[in-house]
Amino acid sequence: MSQTTTTTTMRELVPDDVVEDILGQLPVKSSTRFRCVSKSCDSIITDPSFITRHFKLNLNQSESLISTNTRSGYLLYTTKDNNSSSSSKQLCTAVCNNDRTLTQVSSFEIPSFFEECNVVSFCNGLLCLASDEKELCHIIYLWNPSIRMFKKLLATPLTDEDTISVIGLAYNSQNNDFKILRLLSVFLGPEAEAEIYSLSTDSWRKVVISTEILGGYEPNFGTLDIYPPCIFFNGALHSVAASNHHVFILSFNVNDESFRQIMWPPTFLYCVPGYFTELALFKGSLAVFIYGNNHQGVICHIWVMEEYGVAESWTRKYMVQMDWFWDGHFFGFADNGELLMKNAIGLVSIDLESQNQNILAIEGADWVGSTTNSMESLVLLDGGK
């Protein structure tokens, strides 16, 4: 029997919809390898509808594992490859085991043209990288390391070297779309602006943040300064914002693209000289940690919003004396609630109850992120480079 006849017979025995179902159950790495089997497989795998179904299946499986997982989440981090003679950087993922050890599960070489960029956000297998905002030609990339594909986004050039750019990546579950929010503000400058990018339309739209958008809470709104990071949680992106009169959390709902204010914890430490604030996630809740030097040394105050969006639910969970930990570089919280930071020892996690620090077996990390679930996808396979 000839090869042509065999191929035809197999296609008759295994219809395309069955082949599609089989391919949809495969891991990302295996799926991409099957592109080389035939033009038919390649056509199926690169079809946007297949990529969407494959993504949703992986997302559901990833979320279902959270409740049954005996692990304490995952760490993503970037570091130089010590095993290579080159100076290439690696993006690594490690499982956080319950005994506070790490098990590396993946490592991807970061493309050399990302060298001038920093990871600013990540969501469901995609990473968002951006160049320094001091460069007026602000470059933003979407990168899917699991398929080694990226997309360069044509963002509006910055017009002022003093512009603060805060970027967040989010997944719109209603429309199965990834969105990027870029918040632009200039200290004591004009009104802050928001630019929204949609992957499905491959386009940016501008939105001016005004008192009307924020519900008219403040009659004399004035200027608005916005600070990183921009955190995706509960279907919205969140950043710390400061107006003429008060500090609050600026929330952007990615489904209906609406802005709102979330009230700040009942503390005035943010305006004390020498203190700094950062937004984070703490055990599945929005959190603020305020830290800095005073006459007692370095103190870290950690406030947690126990009921999302309810100002009265802010609770100060911890006030930690941190002189012996301090290096001024926080990476937020691990999934188990331990504080991630870099000090003279290296990258450590700190149990806030006992204040015991655990040295993490990661050398030279310059960026660290924590996530409850880890997933791969084929997103960008049909439109990336």
Side-chain angles (χ1 to χ4, degrees), residues 160-221:
D160 192 318
E161 62 181 10
D162 294 323
T163 299
I164 297 174
S165 175
V166 179
I167 298 172
L169 173 64
Y171 174 64
N172 180 353
S173 58
Q174 290 185 358
N175 298 325
N176 186 45
D177 190 15
F178 283 90
K179 292 183 179 181
I180 293 175
L181 176 68
R182 185 170 78 148
L183 299 165
L184 304 173
S185 65
V186 180
F187 182 66
L188 298 179
E191 283 187 329
E193 290 185 342
E195 294 182 339
I196 303 163
Y197 171 83
S198 169
L199 180 60
S200 62
T201 61
D202 191 22
S203 62
W204 291 89
R205 291 182 291 106
K206 277 190 175 182
V207 178
V208 176
I209 305 172
S210 65
T211 50
E212 289 77 18
I213 289 177
L214 294 171
Y217 288 112
E218 192 172 341
N220 301 312
F221 193 66

Side-chain angles (χ1 to χ4, degrees), residues 86-119:
S86 67
S87 58
S88 64
K89 290 179 66 176
Q90 302 287 317
L91 170 72
C92 304
T93 302
V95 173
C96 301
N97 303 310
N98 286 338
D99 61 358
R100 301 180 80 188
T101 61
L102 299 176
T103 303
Q104 184 175 306
V105 293
S106 69
S107 177
F108 298 98
E109 183 175 347
I110 299 175
S112 58
F113 47 83
F114 288 168
E115 285 182 0
E116 302 302 320
C117 296
N118 300 309
V119 178

Side-chain angles (χ1 to χ4, degrees), residues 1-68:
M1 185 180 290
S2 68
Q3 183 177 355
T4 304
T5 306
T6 304
T7 304
T8 304
T9 304
M10 288 184 65
R11 291 199 63 184
E12 290 174 351
L13 293 174
V14 187
D16 283 350
D17 58 338
V18 176
V19 173
E20 186 171 332
D21 287 340
I22 295 171
L23 293 174
Q25 304 293 326
L26 296 177
V28 166
K29 190 173 183 179
S30 299
S31 295
T32 54
R33 285 176 174 173
F34 267 87
R35 292 182 61 192
C36 303
V37 171
S38 67
K39 289 184 179 180
S40 175
C41 284
D42 180 67
S43 177
I44 291 172
I45 294 168
T46 56
D47 185 87
S49 61
F50 175 82
I51 293 172
T52 297
R53 286 193 295 273
H54 189 276
F55 172 82
K56 288 183 176 180
L57 179 63
N58 279 6
L59 181 61
N60 291 336
Q61 290 176 343
S62 178
E63 291 176 344
S64 66
L65 286 174
I66 294 174
S67 58
T68 59

Side-chain angles (χ1 to χ4, degrees), residues 257-363:
E257 297 189 352
S258 63
F259 288 92
R260 62 173 291 204
Q261 287 193 50
I262 295 178
M263 299 302 293
W264 195 252
T267 175
F268 295 96
L269 280 177
Y270 62 83
C271 59
V272 175
Y275 272 84
F276 305 91
T277 66
E278 285 196 39
L279 203 59
L281 291 180
F282 177 79
K283 292 185 176 180
S285 295
L286 205 59
V288 170
F289 54 99
I290 306 171
Y291 56 93
N293 285 288
N294 63 13
H295 65 281
Q296 296 176 315
V298 178
I299 302 289
C300 182
H301 301 257
I302 299 171
W303 291 78
V304 177
M305 179 173 265
E306 296 187 331
E307 186 177 350
Y308 179 74
V310 179
E312 294 76 17
S313 70
W314 281 113
T315 304
R316 189 171 70 177
K317 289 285 189 182
Y318 303 99
M319 186 174 70
V320 185
Q321 188 82 28
M322 302 191 66
D323 295 352
W324 57 93
F325 299 133
W326 180 252
D327 187 18
H329 203 157
F330 287 100
F331 290 113
F333 296 97
D335 198 56
N336 62 359
E338 294 192 1
L339 190 62
L340 295 169
M341 64 173 294
K342 203 172 185 180
N343 60 17
I345 298 175
L347 185 65
V348 298
S349 64
I350 301 170
D351 185 322
L352 295 172
E353 296 287 350
S354 65
Q355 296 195 29
N356 291 329
Q357 64 175 334
N358 176 44
I359 302 172
L360 300 175
I362 297 174
E363 295 183 4

